[in-house]
Amino acid sequence: MEPSETTSDSAPRKLVRQLDFTLVYEDPPHLKLPPPSPPQHSLLPPPSHSLLQLQLNLQSPGQRPWLYSEPQEQQPWLHSPRPKLVSWVSRFPPVQKVPVKVLPVVKSDSPRSKPRFNVESKDTTPKKQKQCNCKNSRCLKLYCECFAAGIYCDGCNCVNCHNNVDNEAARQEAVGITLERNPNAFRPKIASSPQEQRNSKESEALVIGKHNKGCHCKKSGCLKKYCECFQANILCSENCKCMDCKNFEGSTERRAIFHREYNQVHIKQGTSAAVTEVVGSSGYRNHITPKRRKIQEMFSGRSTVDQTVNTNAQYLQAIDRMASPSSSLSDSFVFDQVNSRISGSSRSVLADVLQPQNVKNLCSLLVILSRVAAKTNAETREKIDRKTEAGNFKASVASSAKSLQETKDVRQPVCDDHVNKAVADAVDIANYNRPLSPETLALMCDEQDNMFFGNTSADGASHQNMIQKSLNSDYGEQERLIMTKLLDVLRELVTLGSIKVPLTDKLANPVTDPLYTNSPPTREREEKLVELLEDENFYLNRGMLAWFAAFAATRYALVVSIKPLFEDKITSNEI
DNA sequence: GAGTTTGAAACT
DNA sequence: CAGTTTCAAACTC
């Protein structure tokens, strides 16, 4: 006997009410959520999108399922007269023999990582049907995930389950009772906001959401999956009545969790090839060592850096962006950068632009630039020496410069090795991964006091002047000028909000880009370098990562390329 | 895998 | 509506 035959004419009032929630099923288009897991047996119309999802799976490829506009005849619950229970029961039989499009599941979840609550995840990857473990609820209360999702239990580990076709009557009654208690019981708990961020790589919707009711967490800090907001990868909102909430934008605890997950995901999936390439084989660690904490503190509110360039929040924001959801990450654990109840700030448009290789290239570029400056400086000194007929010291400087030039090619690999190490360390620092190498520590020493001084407001046009000035200055002055210019560059790395050309277009392949050849620097190349540095499109983001890398590399470059010019002077005590 | 913790749902 | 109990997932060991 068909269920419809038993209920069509005598549908209890409860059941009619049950249909009420179906009327509000259709969210406004701008509030559409990605489809949830496609249940095998969709029983409730729409609130959970399950039926829609089943239909969506039949769509043409590429169509955004959650924006799919159903033909009217396929959504009877949207129209008057209100259909009775029989209507949707018969139209949506419990067992839908519909092919389900299986998308690749990026993250292999542990059995316990599945959502606990009836929430919409931003992960659009269809998941396996939930498998509940109910014992006392007969799977007829919202305690039961399956019931809450509007689907039959199938392959669950539940005991005395009544959420199946054999107990349809009891189930319908339970649905009615539940709806009587809460008409929105089967609706998604997470309401998306009008904003919608889209993963640039996979056009994945990262829907910004807000819990309709809000959570009421007391002990979890809203940073465990006990919290519905956290589990849905959304920030707590003004709807929440939680205590000691740490699930808000800017929360360091939340960020720490994010980083942990980020690293784990990338290790597991091996999708951080570029980073690994730079970092080396040491891999990632999840804990923050005291040393790294110290590094972090270097950029906290105490330092001059922060006072003049970055706030700690900016640093953390940069780290946040560095770990911005890549395609793989967003599949598994999306802490959206855009879901801010405070400012509604947007995710950096540069978030996907900068890659470790870019930083590496930047470092190489700065090394070259320093070499250019060093050489020019030496040549200038040589001219001055000739004019003033100064002594042997100056001649030796020129000789050193020439020697430097001649041996540049030989030294390049060594230099690059150091730079690579510095870059690796920089990446590592930003990721809290491994301690600094001794080389980098050496490069970084004493910099905090020395690098952020003087007028740092030089714009691009003054760069050449600064370089020119450096020609007539001693080592310290030259370092100061270059570092000041570097500071300007890096300052904008952090603050610039847009980029017009992908960095990769600017920092081309070191092998093919003439800028990276080992040939002696020419005026043309030098000008090109300066131009490159001044080009706003050159600037990248994930500020502190680049900052660290470039700084370490430049420091090294200065030491290697310039200091030798004065070694004779130093050894002869002429300074 | 067993026991504990947690917070939503259910109940009073 | 507030307080309590029940429940099952999340978590810990």
Side-chain angles (χ1 to χ4, degrees):
Chain A
M1 182 164 52
E2 292 292 326
S4 60
E5 294 172 357
T6 63
T7 55
S8 59
D9 295 331
S10 58
R13 190 162 163 248
K14 260 182 201 171
L15 297 178
V16 174
R17 186 179 309 166
Q18 171 184 345
L19 295 170
D20 286 348
F21 79 85
T22 67
L23 295 173
V24 292
Y25 149 62
E26 183 80 356
D27 287 331
H30 68 286
L31 293 181
K32 296 275 186 162
L33 284 168
S37 56
Q40 295 176 8
H41 310 149
S42 184
L43 300 174
L44 293 171
S48 64
H49 300 257
S50 50
L51 287 165
L52 178 59
Q53 176 62 41
L54 286 168
Q55 294 174 340
L56 297 170
N57 289 331
L58 299 174
Q59 293 176 60
S60 60
Q63 191 164 4
R64 292 165 64 190
W66 50 93
L67 293 180
Y68 174 61
S69 179
E70 286 184 289
Q72 288 193 354
E73 59 271 21
Q74 289 184 318
Q75 4 178 2
W77 54 86
L78 290 177
H79 308 288
S80 307
R82 294 176 181 179
K84 297 176 181 179
L85 173 65
V86 55
S87 301
W88 65 265
V89 167
S90 58
R91 288 172 188 264
F92 308 106
V95 180
Q96 298 263 349
K97 301 296 184 184
V98 179
V100 175
K101 179 182 176 184
V102 178
L103 300 178
V105 177
V106 176
K107 181 182 178 182
S108 60
D109 274 346
S110 68
R112 290 180 174 181
S113 61
K114 56 190 178 185
R116 172 187 177 186
F117 308 106
N118 180 24
V119 296
E120 295 286 347
S121 168
K122 282 173 284 188
D123 184 353
T124 59
T125 305
K127 304 176 187 68
K128 286 183 179 178
Q129 178 178 343
K130 297 177 174 65
Q131 293 185 324
C132 69
N133 301 288
C134 305
K135 291 175 180 137
N136 301 318
S137 65
R138 294 186 302 157
C139 299
L140 291 181
K141 296 195 174 181
L142 292 175
Y143 297 130
C144 175
E145 283 188 39
C146 305
F147 181 81
I151 59 178
Y152 281 145
C153 287
D154 181 25
C156 300
N157 304 313
C158 42
V159 177
N160 193 24
C161 178
H162 280 56
N163 184 28
N164 51 44
V165 68
D166 294 335
N167 294 277
E168 182 59 34
R171 184 183 174 283
Q172 293 303 330
E173 185 179 0
V175 168
I177 293 171
T178 302
L179 286 170
E180 188 173 22
R181 187 181 297 123
N182 175 15
N184 296 323
F186 296 98
R187 298 197 68 206
K189 292 182 177 179
I190 309 301
S192 62
S193 78
Q195 296 170 292
E196 181 176 328
Q197 288 289 319
R198 200 152 278 283
N199 183 299
S200 61
K201 292 178 180 176
E202 298 187 357
S203 293
E204 177 183 17
L206 307 178
V207 179
I208 310 161
K210 186 161 71 175
H211 198 291
N212 287 326
K213 286 177 62 181
C215 69
H216 300 79
C217 306
K218 294 174 183 173
K219 298 180 179 179
S220 67
C222 300
L223 289 182
K224 296 192 175 182
K225 284 191 172 180
Y226 296 128
C227 174
E228 291 190 352
C229 299
F230 180 87
Q231 185 168 97
N233 289 336
I234 62 173
L235 298 171
C236 288
S237 69
E238 65 273 8
N239 294 344
C240 299
K241 297 186 177 78
C242 42
M243 298 169 58
D244 194 26
C245 178
K246 298 181 177 67
N247 184 26
F248 58 89
E249 187 182 49
S251 163
T252 53
E253 291 91 345
R254 175 177 167 273
R255 192 173 294 112
I257 292 174
F258 173 82
H259 279 296
R260 229 174 287 140
E261 189 75 16
Y262 176 84
N263 288 338
Q264 287 173 355
V265 167
H266 276 261
I267 291 172
K268 187 189 298 181
Q269 299 180 345
T271 54
S272 58
V275 173
T276 306
E277 177 187 343
V278 175
V279 171
S281 59
S282 60
Y284 291 101
R285 293 178 206 161
N286 298 327
H287 64 284
I288 301 175
T289 66
K291 181 180 290 183
R292 287 179 209 131
R293 227 172 272 129
K294 187 177 179 181
I295 295 298
Q296 233 179 322
E297 289 168 2
M298 285 172 57
F299 296 92
S300 67
R302 293 195 303 268
S303 72
T304 312
V305 181
D306 288 320
Q307 293 165 14
T308 59
V309 182
N310 305 297
T311 64
N312 187 44
Q314 282 176 308
Y315 162 66
L316 295 172
Q317 190 177 19
I319 296 299
D320 238 2
R321 288 171 179 164
M322 182 182 67
S324 61
S326 66
S327 57
S328 58
L329 178 64
S330 57
D331 284 334
S332 58
F333 195 90
V334 177
F335 263 122
D336 56 274
Q337 314 300 310
V338 293
N339 187 10
S340 167
R341 61 174 162 168
I342 299 172
S343 62
S345 63
S346 61
R347 179 168 170 265
S348 168
V349 297
L350 309 179
D352 292 321
V353 173
L354 177 63
Q355 301 299 325
Q357 185 60 42
N358 300 138
V359 179
K360 189 176 173 182
N361 291 348
L362 170 62
C363 296
S364 300
L365 181 69
L366 291 168
V367 168
I368 295 171
L369 181 61
S370 296
R371 284 203 191 109
V372 172
K375 176 181 177 297
T376 311
N377 185 33
E379 289 173 348
T380 303
R381 283 183 173 276
E382 193 173 9
K383 291 177 184 174
I384 295 172
D385 290 345
R386 265 194 231 109
K387 280 185 181 177
T388 59
E389 293 183 358
N392 296 333
F393 150 66
K394 291 162 182 134
S396 71
V397 170
S399 174
S400 296
K402 189 178 181 182
S403 173
L404 174 67
Q405 180 61 46
E406 290 170 350
T407 59
K408 184 199 300 268
D409 292 354
V410 177
R411 292 170 56 180
Q412 176 88 27
V414 177
C415 176
D416 286 348
D417 282 345
H418 284 271
V419 172
N420 288 342
K421 207 166 188 53
V423 173
D425 276 332
V427 173
D428 237 348
I429 291 165
N431 285 311
Y432 311 131
N433 285 318
R434 60 179 168 85
L436 293 173
S437 69
E439 291 89 336
T440 303
L441 284 173
L443 294 177
M444 293 172 54
C445 66
D446 298 329
E447 290 306 323
Q448 285 303 296
D449 294 332
N450 296 332
M451 54 181 293
F452 301 104
F453 50 74
N455 176 20
T456 59
S457 62
D459 55 17
S462 65
H463 176 71
Q464 286 190 353
N465 290 338
M466 297 178 68
I467 295 294
Q468 195 64 38
K469 282 181 187 175
S470 73
L471 302 181
N472 300 318
S473 58
D474 60 14
Y475 165 69
E477 177 66 6
Q478 186 176 37
E479 178 178 9
R480 187 187 75 79
L481 290 170
I482 293 179
M483 295 306 291
T484 301
K485 179 57 186 173
L486 175 62
L487 174 62
D488 291 334
V489 172
L490 296 173
R491 179 179 285 170
E492 296 197 45
L493 299 185
V494 178
T495 57
L496 259 184
S498 63
I499 188 169
K500 296 169 186 172
V501 178
L503 186 67
T504 48
D505 290 350
K506 285 288 178 182
L507 293 180
N509 186 338
V511 176
T512 58
D513 193 317
L515 288 174
Y516 292 90
T517 63
N518 290 332
S519 59
T522 63
R523 172 64 58 186
E524 183 184 2
R525 286 182 60 211
E526 181 179 351
E527 288 175 352
K528 193 172 180 181
L529 286 169
V530 171
E531 181 187 351
L532 189 57
L533 280 174
E534 291 174 350
D535 188 338
E536 66 170 2
N537 294 329
F538 167 80
Y539 299 139
L540 39 150
N541 209 334
R542 302 185 186 175
M544 298 316 296
L545 168 64
W547 190 96
F548 245 123
F551 168 68
T554 304
R555 166 68 175 170
Y556 173 77
L558 288 168
V559 170
V560 168
S561 302
I562 300 174
K563 200 171 181 179
L565 301 177
F566 302 90
E567 282 177 355
D568 294 340
K569 195 173 182 179
I570 293 171
T571 54
S572 61
N573 292 323
E574 292 185 38
I575 294 181

